[in-house]
Amino acid sequence: MTTDQVKRQFRERGTTFTEWAATHGFDRNDVYRVLNGQLKGNYGKGHDIAVKLGLKPDPALEKQAA
């Protein structure tokens, strides 16, 4: 999924990124950074956020499938 698709889904659901961040235990600024490309999501918190948002595949699920 792309960042534009994620943003569209949030708009369609009427959910804010701040609400989503609080629900999932992330800092809202980190969520915005991932969505705007400032945090690449290659490791750490950025990666966790990207996986939860559906921008990257979940490595745990990939291991199970193998």
Side-chain angles (χ1 to χ4, degrees):
M1 190 172 344
T2 67
T3 57
D4 288 337
Q5 290 171 323
V6 170
K7 291 175 183 179
R8 185 170 9 109
Q9 278 187 348
F10 272 74
R11 279 192 304 273
E12 289 170 358
R13 293 179 186 156
T15 305
T16 67
F17 296 118
T18 301
E19 291 170 338
W20 185 89
T23 300
H24 292 88
F26 296 116
D27 178 24
R28 75 183 201 94
N29 290 323
D30 289 336
V31 173
Y32 280 109
R33 287 183 190 118
V34 168
L35 289 169
N36 292 322
Q38 295 166 329
L39 267 179
K40 300 300 178 194
N42 292 328
Y43 54 91
K45 265 196 264 183
H47 183 264
D48 294 341
I49 293 168
V51 168
K52 288 267 189 193
L53 286 171
L55 296 171
K56 292 190 170 223
D58 188 342
L61 295 177
E62 287 182 344
K63 286 181 185 177
Q64 289 176 356

